[in-house]
Every structure is written in C-alpha cells, then in structure tokens.
C-alpha cells in the first residue's frame, strides 16, 4: 500500500528525485557512472595526484562492483515480486508506476540502494563523512548542478528515489542500504601497497 500511495501521490520533488537518480543505461550514466562523476569532481576539486586518483577509483569501483554482485545474488535468493505485480494482484489491477518501467528482475534488494550506499561509504571514508558537494552529473541535461550536505544524503535520496518511482518496496530500499554499507566497510578494510 505504501508504494502504491507514494507513487500515486508523489510530490514534484519526489518525482524529480526519481528521474534524477534513474541513471538509465544509454540515456544517462549508469548508477556506477553517476558515482564515478561525483568522485571525479571531488578529485579535481582537491587537485589530487595520479596515485590518489587511482586508489580512489580502485576502491570506489571495487565497492560498486561487489555491491552489484552481492545485490543480484540477494535478488535471486529471495526472488521477491515487484510492487507492480503485488498491486495489480491485490489492490488495483490497472496500476502501473507512472515514472519509469519496472525492471525485469526481482525486487529485493534495490540495486540502486546497495550500489549508492557502497559508493557513499567509500567516498565518506576517503573525503570525509560530512563533505558538502555539488553533483554535476546531469548538468548537460539541465538537471543540475545539485548540492548535497554529504555523500550519505545523496545515497539516501538515490535509494528512496526507487520507492518514489514505484518500483521498490521500503524493505528493498533499506536492505540495499545496509548491504551497501557492509560492502564499503569490507572494501575499505583492504590494505593497498604503496
């Protein structure tokens, strides 16, 4: 009921969040590409040397890759139906999410949530948990720049965007966030040689 209600009554701001974080392949950067843009801007702002940039992208991409592997494994272990299927079977047989198509794979957990939380965890560790930043990823589309108080705030918005779009339940969003933070911790524990 929550997804049905939110998707049908989403505010303009919630609809904008859903579209901003859609990150559809071919149309925009993928979710991983979106976080790579953010990291690249942070490195440029700090005038990072090549070694720092290499370590940053190594950790970030390891985390995002592992997050997707862990997330898709979880999806097929639980094999939970999507909100559109449940809503059509139980609440409203004609309902479809209005902002985007429902992906053709299981709901739990949200891939955007696990991936964004893993990326934010790495960037928190490398640049600081309370780093205010501007996201320029979609400037060329007229959707930016957008400023966030922290990487985690951006990851939380990305995660919730999936519920606003009507394609994930809250449990899928929150479960993805927990799994993403775990992945980030594991990646940050890896010792890099100098």
């Amino acid at each position: 009921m929550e997804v049905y209600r939110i998707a049908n009554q989403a505010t303009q701001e919630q609809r904008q969040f859903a579209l901003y974080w859609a990150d559809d392949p071919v149309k925009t950067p993928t979710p991983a590409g979106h976080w790579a843009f953010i990291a690249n801007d942070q490195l440029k702002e700090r005038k990072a040397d090549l070694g720092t940039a290499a370590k940053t992208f190594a950790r970030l991409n390891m985390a995002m890759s592992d997050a997707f592997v862990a997330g898709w494994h979880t999806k097929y272990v639980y094999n939970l139906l999507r909100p559109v299927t449940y809503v059509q079977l139980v609440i409203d047989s004609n309902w479809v999410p209005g902002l985007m198509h429902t992906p053709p794979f299981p709901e739990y957990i949200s891939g955007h949530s696990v991936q964004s939380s893993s990326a934010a965890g790495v960037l928190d560790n490398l640049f600081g948990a309370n780093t205010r930043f501007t996201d320029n990823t979609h400037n060329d589309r007229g959707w930016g720049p957008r400023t966030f108080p922290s990487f985690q705030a951006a990851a939380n918005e990305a995660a919730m965007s999936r519920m606003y779009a009507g394609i994930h339940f809250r449990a899928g969003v929150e479960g993805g966030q927990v799994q993403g933070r775990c992945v980030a911790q594991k990646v940050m524990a890896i010792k890099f040689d100098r």
Side-chain angles (χ1 to χ4, degrees):
M1 238 359 240
E2 180 183 34
V3 174
Y4 180 67
R5 181 184 51 77
I6 288 174
N8 288 341
Q9 299 172 357
T11 66
Q12 181 61 28
E13 182 179 51
Q14 290 169 332
R15 286 191 291 275
Q16 287 173 337
F17 293 164
L19 295 173
Y20 188 81
W21 291 101
D23 291 327
D24 298 317
V26 183
K27 295 179 187 175
T28 67
T30 61
H34 194 145
W35 285 97
F37 269 81
I38 292 168
N40 196 49
D41 281 352
Q42 291 298 303
L43 292 163
K44 283 180 186 176
E45 186 177 304
R46 289 167 172 73
K47 296 180 176 49
D49 62 31
L50 182 60
T52 300
K55 287 180 184 178
T56 298
F57 278 111
R59 287 194 189 276
L60 179 64
N61 287 303
M62 287 167 58
M64 292 189 297
S65 177
D66 286 356
F68 273 121
V69 170
W72 258 251
H73 174 77
T74 301
K75 282 180 178 294
Y76 286 97
V77 165
Y78 289 96
N79 202 24
L80 187 67
L81 54 82
R82 289 281 183 162
V84 66
T85 304
Y86 182 82
V87 170
Q88 287 179 355
L89 289 172
V90 178
I91 301 169
D92 179 350
S93 62
N94 295 312
W95 185 77
V96 292
L99 291 176
M100 62 185 63
H101 296 291
T102 298
F105 40 79
E107 187 276 339
Y108 187 85
I109 58 176
S110 161
H112 272 57
S113 301
V114 68
Q115 187 270 315
S116 292
S117 292
S118 72
V122 168
L123 297 180
D124 276 352
N125 190 281
L126 297 175
F127 300 121
N130 295 313
T131 298
R132 184 175 178 80
F133 73 98
T134 300
D135 181 2
N136 296 296
T137 307
H138 293 301
N139 288 4
D140 62 337
R141 302 182 82 198
W143 295 2
R146 294 199 51 223
T147 300
F148 294 92
S150 67
F151 301 114
Q152 195 56 58
N156 290 343
E157 184 180 288
M160 286 303 296
S161 76
R162 313 317 281 164
M163 198 165 83
Y164 300 150
I167 63 171
H168 276 289
F169 297 112
R170 184 176 296 274
V173 167
E174 292 174 351
Q177 290 174 300
V178 170
Q179 190 174 49
R181 287 190 294 269
C182 180
V183 168
Q185 288 174 351
K186 299 289 186 188
V187 168
M188 292 311 299
I190 298 169
K191 301 292 183 212
F192 278 26
D193 290 333
R194 207 173 128 72

